[in-house]
């Protein structure tokens, strides 16, 4: 419907590589045990729990970080993967997620923000 409304006002060019339906991030904790075992065998990162409160795996975090929109903020990861939404509100998993961002995107912790520009969490190294 939105496409049709815009097409009435603009010349649209269709993309050959357009993906009409995207697959969401697998919610590992919702799967039956057999499927969990199969996924861990296929991809060992499913076997590493990053967020204990919500049972979110490293693979789910990586899927959020490496999705086509390229999320690099902690809030972006939170909304996509449910990490940091548990009882400890990220007290346990936040630093682990920062490490994943550091390794995946080559960011320094000082560059990692909660929601962009003025929401820095780290100012420098203690040691
Ligand atoms: S471990 Fe992630 S919210 Fe508690």
């Amino acid at each position: 419907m939105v496409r049709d409304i815009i097409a009435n006002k603009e010349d649209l060019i269709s993309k050959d590589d357009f993906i009409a339906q995207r697959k969401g991030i697998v919610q590992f904790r919702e799967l039956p045990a057999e499927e969990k075992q199969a996924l861990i065998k296929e991809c060992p990162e499913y076997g590493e729990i990053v967020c204990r409160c919500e049972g979110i795996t490293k693979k789910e975090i990586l899927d959020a970080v490496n999705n086509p929109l390229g999320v690099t903020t902690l809030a972006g990861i939170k909304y996509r993967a449910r990490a940091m939404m548990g009882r400890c509100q990220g007290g346990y998993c936040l630093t682990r997620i920062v490490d994943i961002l550091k390794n995946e995107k080559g960011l320094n912790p000082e560059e990692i923000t909660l929601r962009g520009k003025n929401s820095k969490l780290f100012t420098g190294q203690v040691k």
Side-chain angles (χ1 to χ4, degrees):
M1 180 187 82
V2 172
R3 183 199 59 215
D4 293 342
I5 292 169
I6 294 171
N8 285 333
K9 298 177 188 245
E10 300 283 334
D11 291 330
L12 300 181
I13 301 165
S14 62
K15 292 170 73 178
D16 294 334
D17 59 346
F18 178 71
I19 303 166
Q21 283 192 331
R22 71 175 183 87
K23 276 174 51 181
I25 296 170
V26 171
Q27 294 189 344
F28 187 78
R29 76 177 186 166
E30 303 295 331
L31 300 174
E34 309 81 50
E35 279 185 51
K36 285 180 179 173
Q37 288 296 328
L39 278 177
I40 291 170
K41 239 181 213 169
E42 189 180 298
C43 178
E45 288 153 341
Y46 276 116
E48 191 177 326
I49 299 292
V50 173
C51 177
R52 285 183 183 171
C53 299
E54 293 294 309
I56 309 300
T57 65
K58 183 176 183 180
K59 176 68 171 131
E60 291 169 275
I61 304 293
L62 289 171
D63 286 348
V65 169
N66 295 319
N67 86 12
L69 299 176
V71 62
T72 55
T73 64
L74 294 170
I77 293 169
K78 182 177 187 173
Y79 298 140
R80 285 168 178 82
R82 285 197 55 84
M84 298 175 279
M85 285 191 171
R87 199 166 71 175
C88 80
Q89 292 289 292
Y92 175 80
C93 59
L94 187 140
T95 55
R96 285 151 183 87
I97 294 168
V98 167
D99 278 343
I100 291 171
L101 277 172
K102 207 168 96 179
N103 295 335
E104 280 297 304
K105 298 292 180 186
L107 296 170
N108 291 320
E110 296 86 9
E111 298 173 297
I112 297 170
T113 62
L114 181 64
R115 293 178 190 271
K117 273 190 180 173
N118 295 321
S119 59
K120 291 187 177 188
L121 297 168
F122 307 101
T123 56
Q125 300 282 327
V126 175
K127 291 183 187 175

